[in-house]
Structure formats: C-alpha cells, structure tokens
Amino acid sequence: MVTLNDILEGVKAYHPEADLDIIKHAYEFSAQRHAKQTRRTGEPFLIHPIEVAMILVHLKLDVASIAAGLLHDTVEDTHVTLEEVEKEFGPAIANLVDGLTKLSKLSFRTSREKQAENFRKMILAMAKDIRVILIKLADRLHNMRTLEALAEEKQQRIAQETLEIYAPLANRLGISWIKSELEDLSLRYLKPDMYYRLVQQVAKKKKEREKYIELVRNIISEKLSQYNIHSEVSGRSKHLYSVYKKMEKQHIDFEHVYDLIAFRILVETLPQCYETLGIIHSVWTPVPGRFKDYIAMPKANRYQSLHTTVIGPYGERIEIQIRTKEMHNIAEEGIAAHWKYKEGEINKYDEERFKWLRALTEWQKELKDPSEFLETLRIDLFDEEVYVFTPRGDVKEFPKGATPIDFAYAVHTDVGNHCVGAKVNGRIVPLKYKLKSGDTIEIVTNESRHPSKDWLDLVVTSRAKAKIRSYIKGQEREEGAEIGRSILAKELRRGGYSPTRYLTSGHLTEAAQKLKLESPEDVLIKVGYGFFTPAEVIRIFLPDFKHAEAKKGEREEKSGIISKILQGTKAPLSLRKDAIAVKGVGQVLIRVARCCTPLPGDPVSGFVTRGRGVTVHRADCSLLLSHDAERKVDVEWSETRELRRNIKIKVICADKPGLLMEMSNVFTSNSINIANARVRTTHDKKAINIFEVTVSDASQVKKILKQLEKIEGVVSAARL
Ligand code: MN
C-alpha cells in the first residue's frame, strides 16, 4: 500500500527543493475529511486520493498537482467547501480542485463517435489548466484499477466511457502508458471473455516468446555495435487491447497475429535513428508501405519515432520502432515529460493546434521549478471552439463567439426562425449571449416571431447566416412580387382592362414560360424590380394591349435620368401609402430607404433604379455613398406632409432600476408611441435600449434625443 512517505520520497527524487509541507498538510486535511468514509472495496476512502497522488508522482508533477490529487474528492464527496480549500491551500490549489469538481459533474451520456470526440474536446476546453486533466486521468486510472467492486452495470458504463473519452485523451496528451492501461482495463470489463482468453494465450507462449525476443535482440545489438552505435534493444508484447483491435480489424484469431511483439531500439542521437534504420533494412527485408517517419513528421501529440516492419529470421513480421531516449520519454509521458528537459530541441509540430507547446519550450528554458512551469501551461488547444449541451444531453460544437441563435439554427431551421430567447443553465440570457463550454442551452420559440437583419451581426456559424439571409430574401421576394402585382394592375386598369380578369395564374404562367422564368411569382418580382416593363409582360397574354397615354402635365418636370426611369414606368405611380413627394422630380415612384429611414426635415438624396423609381436616403447614409454617383439625383422635401414612420433610437445607460420608466416618460410626454422596445445589459453594468418609436419629422426626434440625454444615468442617445 502506498504511504505518505512514498509520495514525499517520490517527489524529492525529481524535485529536491519542493515544499513538502503543503503535501503533508493536504494529506492530513484529506485524511481528516474523508475519515469514516469507505470505498466500495471496503477499504478506507483515503486510499483513493493517496493512490491518485502517487500516479501523479509517477508523472513527476508539481507540488500543487499532488496536493490537489490528495484533495480532489473533498469538495465533491465531503462537506468541505471550495472556500475552505482556498483558505487552507491558496487559490492555485483551490482552482485545481474546483476544476476537478466541475469535471466530475460531467457525465458522458451517449456513445456516438462524434459525441465522444466533442466530449473530449469539451473536457479540454473546460479544464483551462492542463494539470486538471492530468489529475483527472490519474483519478480515472485508479478507479479503473479498482472497478471490480462496482455493480456490473456501472462497470460497463465506466469502462465504456474510459475507452471512448479518457484513453484517447491520454493518447492526445501523449501519455502512452496511461492510455494502454486504461484500454486494457476497459477491455477486461467490456469483453471479459475475450480479455481473459487473451491473457491466457499470451501467458502460454511466454517462454517461447522470451526466447524469440532474446534472439532478435542479439542480432540487432551485434549488428549495430559493428557500426559503433550504442543501443538499448527491448522487445515486449503489445498490450492486449491493441492485439484485440488487430484481431478485430483483420478478422483473424490470436494464432495469426504475428507482430505480437514490438521491438524498440533506443539510440543516442537523431542521425543514428536513420543509420539504424538502414542497418535493420539491410539485415531483414522491409515490408513495403509500413515505414513511417514520425521524426520528420511528428504526430499531433508530439510523438516521434521511426516505424518499420520487416520479415524476421523465421519469415515472420517484426514491428520495430527506432528513436532517441529523449523521444522515448516524450512517447511514454507526453506532456509530462516536458519539464524534465532543461535544454534540447523539440521539433516542429502542427503549428496551429499546438502553438502552446511552442510557447512552452520557450518558457521552460527560463523556469527552474516545475510548478512555475505548470502554472503557465494553459490549454488553448481548443480555444477556437466551444462545446455545449442540448437539453437532452447531446454535445454540439460551435466556433468561439457563437450565440443562442447559432445554437437554435443548429437544432433546426424552424427553431432558428422562431427563436425569441434562450435559457442557459436554466437562466434567461439575451440573444447576444456568447456560448461557453459546458453550457446547457434551451431555446425559447414563438411561432409569430421571425428573423431580423440584425441577427446577422449576432451569429458566427455559416449555417445560421445562410438561413437568416434566405429568410430575409424570401421576404424581399414577397415584397417585390407585391409591388410587381400592383404595377401590372395599374397598367391594366389604365388601359381599360380588369386586373382581376387578366392577372390570373394562367396568364402569369404563360408569361413566365415566355420570359424563361421559373414561376409566375418570378414574373411579378421581375416587374417589381424593374427588369421588365408592365407593358412587356401584359402583351404576352394581351397582344393588342396598348398602354394608355399619361395624362397631360404629369411628365412635364421629368429630365435627365428621371426620364429614363419614366420610360420604364410611363405612368406616374405612387404605390406605397406613405410615398412622399420630392421637389423637382414630379410624380414618380418614391421609395423610402429602409436602411436610414429619412424623415421630412432630414437632408436627403435620391438614388435611381430603372423601373423602380427613386429611393430616398438620408444624405449621410453610408449605403447611398457606396452607390454609383451617376445614379444619384438631388431631391428635397417639397412640403412637410403628415407622415408617420417608425425609427429606432438607441440609448445607452446605467443598468439600474427606474431609468426605463423615466425614458418612456420622455416619449409619452411628447405623444410619441413606442412600437417596440428591447433592453440588453452588458457585462460592464450598462444597459442598451433600442426603442422603436413612431415619429413624423426630424425635429421631433432631435427634441426627444435631447430630453433623453438629460436623464441622469443616460450615457448616450442616438438615432440608429
Ligand atoms: Mn476520485
């Protein structure tokens, strides 16, 4: 049984200056708090944290990690609070314990492959400190070693989770001995028959195997020493799980797994690796396609080695790995091997994903003590992604910065299109909330609500963007079709025909075919957008149609560019109820731009579209400025008519009660109707209020903005 002394001696061996008192204190604290608790095995509970700490000693971790290993179950399983841990051991250790407590609450619920991968990433993303994961792996390893005491159902679940989540996690961090042990232990509980049969079969051939290993070792060592290469050659059975996988994959039984034994040659320098490879290939014939150079191209977990398979002395396949001792240590301990090398180059790895490892090799040159080193070691490996749960426990992956709207569209287009709000971990959040790893998201929908253009600024996934755009586009088509229909109706009426009689789907279908458009709706849209004149379309089903002459006087004021539009529309049109007259242009189709909603009194400018008339923008509208200068026309308000429009006003203020009331008083006292109001709060205790109000002119707006800004607590008020 492991004792406190084993732990202390172990730490001293690799870190002579370590502050062992912290470890002793953690031991006593844990012993006291877990007193009287027993494990399923019947042993005192304390054995578990001690064993976990000892595994961390094997990984040569720092004092804080080992103390946290001893304390890792105190907050989860006893009455100890995190505050208490912090008071006793300081924030660094408390943070580690907190991370472990949080991870222990995650439970892996489904077994689909993609889920497992996301889950692993989520664990990495949540545990910001890599030590949390190393301690978690040690915890899981000891639990797997003592899994026998649990009920079968639980054994299965835990073994499955270990195989899908924790063994790959150990592999990703490059700690191969933990990965192998976790895999073998999982196999033991998931496929006990297979496991014990393999154990027996491997044992039966033990003598034979040892003789064989000896023979191959001697051949290799002798050959290499002829070339003055000093080497350590070892041969070992592959771990059971990898034998099992091989049998499964190749559909063969145990007798036919030839490369059961893997040989490893450790040499002193990197060039010797390649030299050794050449020598091996001159002794035994290599199997084509089996050579891999992980030295020139290391694996993502930084594993480096040369791999080859050759035909051995009895015509059997032998797998051989060649590497330096330093590469070997990294292969065995992965990330944990790092701080043992004060100098020594680490080769290039996957630049993007392992940036942190590069930074780390820089730091470690300056650091003397592993704890310092470890504390700076943060995982930003998956910083670009967040992993969140659906209410049913599925994991979904999003790019960083994603909001509930992205989530809603990932669930279903309909959910996205009717999304009105979201709950994160049971609490209501604004739609601009940025998802965090580990959040459980629930979307609130309302059938009568629809996407708006500003959602495009809130979403980051291309799926959500595309869906919102397609919704808006659909809406624009509807509008276009509506305008087209009324243009055609007016033209028919003017010519003395009944729109209801002639604007039928039969006629429009005929027009669509003739104009090579997909649907009758497209015909309306094309007319609405001015691609075709109404007369062009009507003549398709009414060949005799002559459009009526415009009444005298109506076109008198046309000039220049305007005449060009009028050629398309001929008759003056005023489609929108709120169309406004603009001086100098006469009666022409006027549309008020939606981007800047100009009001009488605002400086304005017009933009010409053929067949669509003039669109009036505010003179400072950025959209207008980006347009072709040639199509701009000077316009001005001819008279101030009674015109009511909705505009948006943005007020930024302190997030405190009562202010909203004061602000709405400003509107009501000016007899201004609030059509819609939205309030969002920011992390810096500000509130952003968007009021949609109905106003009739610009001076009215100026007045309320002034009044709003006078309210104490209001930072700014502006028209959107
Ligand atoms: Mn534990």
Side-chain angles (χ1 to χ4, degrees):
M1 205 173 77
V2 177
T3 63
L4 172 63
N5 211 43
D6 295 333
I7 293 172
L8 298 177
E9 288 302 316
V11 175
K12 249 196 277 179
Y14 63 83
H15 185 24
E17 290 127 72
D19 182 357
L20 299 179
D21 287 344
I22 299 171
I23 297 177
K24 283 184 208 158
H25 184 35
Y27 173 85
E28 282 154 14
F29 187 87
S30 183
Q32 195 191 16
R33 301 309 162 117
H34 287 300
K36 289 184 198 148
Q37 286 180 337
T38 52
R39 300 196 88 212
R40 287 293 160 79
T41 52
E43 302 162 313
F45 188 89
L46 189 64
I47 287 183
H48 171 63
I50 293 178
E51 290 281 353
V52 169
M54 198 60 204
I55 294 168
L56 298 171
V57 171
H58 283 307
L59 287 173
K60 298 190 170 59
L61 291 201
D62 65 333
V63 168
S65 307
I66 289 157
L70 287 165
L71 299 167
H72 81 272
D73 277 328
T74 52
V75 175
E76 175 72 6
D77 291 343
T78 75
H79 296 301
V80 173
T81 63
L82 197 62
E83 289 71 40
E84 237 177 302
V85 174
E86 183 168 349
K87 218 181 99 205
E88 293 283 328
F89 301 97
I93 291 175
N95 276 340
L96 294 177
V97 174
D98 186 36
L100 286 154
T101 309
K102 280 183 185 142
L103 281 191
S104 72
K105 292 195 175 115
L106 288 179
S107 144
F108 180 63
R109 278 165 279 196
T110 64
S111 58
R112 274 173 290 138
E113 192 51 42
K114 176 69 183 151
Q115 284 285 98
E117 177 60 21
N118 279 345
F119 210 90
R120 283 195 291 277
K121 288 182 186 171
M122 180 161 73
I123 290 174
L124 287 173
M126 279 183 73
K128 283 289 175 207
D129 189 326
I130 197 149
R131 292 176 294 184
V132 171
I133 294 172
L134 296 171
I135 300 165
K136 182 71 197 169
L137 284 174
D139 179 35
R140 178 51 61 111
L141 181 57
H142 184 244
N143 284 336
M144 284 301 291
R145 283 174 180 172
T146 53
L147 201 59
E148 215 162 12
L150 298 188
E152 204 186 314
E153 201 191 324
K154 231 176 166 187
Q155 287 177 340
Q156 298 270 320
R157 189 183 63 74
I158 293 174
Q160 189 70 36
E161 187 182 82
T162 301
L163 195 59
E164 290 183 1
I165 311 291
Y166 292 99
L169 204 52
N171 183 47
R172 173 163 270 162
L173 296 175
I175 312 169
S176 68
W177 69 270
I178 291 188
K179 173 203 165 226
S180 303
E181 194 176 337
L182 288 177
E183 283 179 345
D184 281 0
L185 286 165
S186 300
L187 186 64
R188 177 172 153 193
Y189 292 97
L190 292 173
K191 306 239 170 190
D193 293 349
M194 172 62 77
Y195 177 82
Y196 289 109
R197 200 162 66 233
L198 282 177
V199 170
Q200 263 183 354
Q201 279 164 324
V202 170
K204 212 163 67 190
K205 300 215 166 160
K206 196 172 176 224
K207 270 237 165 76
E208 238 175 89
R209 199 169 57 238
E210 276 166 1
K211 251 170 84 183
Y212 174 79
I213 290 174
E214 198 50 35
L215 173 85
V216 173
R217 272 184 55 182
N218 284 339
I219 298 174
I220 295 174
S221 305
E222 238 167 76
K223 263 286 169 196
L224 290 182
S225 61
Q226 281 173 25
Y227 290 89
N228 288 324
I229 296 174
H230 187 73
S231 65
E232 276 172 39
V233 185
S234 60
R236 49 163 192 107
S237 300
K238 290 187 162 171
H239 73 289
L240 296 177
Y241 185 76
S242 73
V243 175
Y244 160 73
K245 283 270 280 216
K246 197 155 243 168
M247 289 164 61
E248 286 277 285
K249 207 170 135 196
Q250 301 173 0
H251 305 289
I252 49 174
D253 50 43
F254 183 78
E255 306 299 319
H256 294 94
V257 182
Y258 292 114
D259 40 4
L260 204 57
I261 299 161
F263 285 87
R264 181 175 299 141
I265 307 172
L266 300 185
V267 293
E268 276 157 344
T269 66
L270 192 145
Q272 281 179 352
C273 294
Y274 291 97
E275 222 179 315
T276 303
L277 179 81
I279 295 164
I280 297 292
H281 282 182
S282 73
V283 178
W284 294 304
T285 313
V287 177
R290 293 299 305 266
F291 168 64
K292 292 208 179 77
D293 186 348
Y294 293 118
I295 291 179
M297 283 164 290
K299 287 192 190 179
N301 63 17
R302 297 170 40 261
Y303 174 89
Q304 287 190 297
S305 231
L306 298 177
H307 286 192
T308 186
T309 303
V310 295
I311 307 295
Y314 303 113
E316 77 292 3
R317 286 172 169 223
I318 316 177
E319 236 183 63
I320 298 174
Q321 303 173 343
I322 304 162
R323 53 177 99 139
T324 65
K325 281 174 194 156
E326 184 178 326
M327 290 174 198
H328 179 63
N329 280 322
I330 290 173
E332 288 295 299
E333 295 167 30
I335 235 168
H338 254 297
W339 48 90
K340 287 188 291 182
Y341 298 101
K342 292 272 152 88
E343 68 269 306
E345 283 285 304
I346 282 141
N347 282 273
K348 277 205 160 186
Y349 7 84
D350 186 336
E351 298 259 318
E352 268 310 299
R353 300 227 109 181
F354 286 81
K355 258 185 255 159
W356 57 287
L357 275 173
R358 212 168 7 162
L360 185 150
T361 53
E362 291 299 308
W363 298 330
Q364 68 171 0
K365 283 179 193 152
E366 300 148 29
L367 301 171
K368 285 166 215 83
D369 159 0
S371 71
E372 233 184 295
F373 165 75
L374 277 168
E375 242 158 68
T376 44
L377 182 50
R378 295 278 184 276
I379 300 175
D380 51 11
L381 192 50
F382 296 105
D383 238 20
E384 294 308 306
E385 288 123 44
V386 290
Y387 300 89
V388 297
F389 288 114
T390 68
R392 279 174 36 221
D394 289 343
V395 179
K396 289 199 181 289
E397 176 184 343
F398 292 94
K400 197 176 176 180
T403 60
I405 304 175
D406 288 296
F407 180 90
Y409 278 105
V411 173
H412 195 276
T413 307
D414 274 348
V415 177
N417 280 343
H418 299 298
C419 161
V420 285
K423 283 183 186 170
V424 168
N425 307 322
R427 256 192 258 150
I428 292 192
V429 297
L431 285 177
K432 61 152 195 200
Y433 173 87
K434 301 252 192 293
L435 306 182
K436 292 191 196 74
S437 281
D439 282 348
T440 297
I441 318 287
E442 202 183 319
I443 296 296
V444 185
T445 57
N446 180 334
E447 281 302 309
S448 64
R449 294 289 292 275
H450 301 291
S452 75
K453 243 181 196 159
D454 21 304
W455 282 15
L456 287 171
D457 297 331
L458 295 179
V459 300
V460 296
T461 56
S462 44
R463 182 186 159 83
K465 279 206 174 111
K467 295 289 179 187
I468 296 167
R469 280 211 188 95
S470 106
Y471 179 86
I472 292 169
K473 213 176 152 199
Q475 234 188 356
E476 280 172 359
R477 279 174 63 87
E478 250 174 61
E479 260 174 31
E482 207 182 298
I483 295 173
R485 182 177 287 278
S486 64
I487 291 176
L488 286 168
K490 277 216 165 153
E491 186 80 357
L492 279 166
R493 234 178 269 130
R494 214 168 270 283
Y497 297 91
S498 151
T500 33
R501 212 171 133 200
Y502 288 97
L503 227 48
T504 59
S505 66
H507 285 147
L508 290 173
T509 307
E510 195 188 332
Q513 280 164 356
K514 190 80 185 281
L515 298 169
K516 295 193 169 62
L517 297 174
E518 273 179 28
S519 67
E521 199 200 4
D522 285 328
V523 176
L524 298 176
I525 293 166
K526 293 282 176 183
V527 173
Y529 282 176
F531 286 97
F532 299 111
T533 63
E536 262 177 294
V537 172
I538 293 169
R539 276 195 211 105
I540 293 170
F541 49 83
L542 260 178
D544 301 336
F545 180 78
K546 282 194 195 96
H547 56 83
E549 278 297 309
K551 277 183 213 140
K552 237 187 166 181
E554 268 178 357
R555 285 163 65 198
E556 271 171 10
E557 287 173 77
K558 73 177 170 60
S559 68
I561 285 171
I562 297 303
S563 73
K564 280 186 204 157
I565 343 159
L566 294 180
Q567 279 166 20
T569 53
K570 293 289 178 198
L573 291 166
S574 168
L575 290 167
R576 300 175 65 101
K577 284 201 184 82
D578 57 8
I580 46 173
V582 176
K583 207 183 215 169
V585 179
Q587 292 281 310
V588 59
L589 175 57
I590 301 289
R591 291 163 55 90
V592 176
R594 292 183 155 199
C595 48
C596 55
T597 53
L599 288 171
D602 279 334
V604 283
S605 188
F607 175 72
V608 176
T609 321
R610 185 177 173 265
R612 254 179 113 185
V614 173
T615 310
V616 177
H617 293 262
R618 269 152 70 182
D620 58 353
C621 173
S622 57
L623 201 70
L624 179 83
L625 298 173
S626 69
H627 278 318
D628 199 347
E630 232 185 280
R631 306 181 72 180
K632 253 187 250 174
V633 283
D634 288 329
V635 290
E636 57 182 86
W637 304 100
S638 54
E639 60 194 300
T640 306
R641 288 196 194 168
E642 177 64 350
L643 173 87
R644 300 190 141 300
R645 295 197 61 82
N646 281 359
I647 59 147
K648 284 178 181 169
I649 288 177
K650 180 178 176 185
V651 185
I652 300 174
C653 64
D655 182 15
K656 69 174 197 204
L659 268 183
L660 195 59
M661 189 62 152
E662 274 190 77
M663 289 189 283
S664 53
N665 278 344
V666 169
F667 296 110
T668 44
S669 65
N670 283 287
S671 314
I672 288 169
N673 176 47
I674 303 176
N676 194 357
R678 268 184 310 161
V679 183
R680 303 178 228 156
T681 52
T682 64
H683 54 86
D684 56 349
K685 296 248 170 200
K686 294 245 165 58
I688 297 172
N689 310 271
I690 310 280
F691 296 102
E692 204 178 320
V693 292
T694 316
V695 292
S696 52
D697 68 71
S699 62
Q700 203 179 10
V701 179
K702 260 187 204 157
K703 191 173 151 199
I704 34 178
L705 290 180
K706 239 186 200 157
Q707 290 182 13
L708 283 169
E709 279 191 318
K710 270 191 194 146
I711 300 173
E712 205 189 324
V714 169
V715 180
S716 70
R719 183 162 153 201
L720 273 187

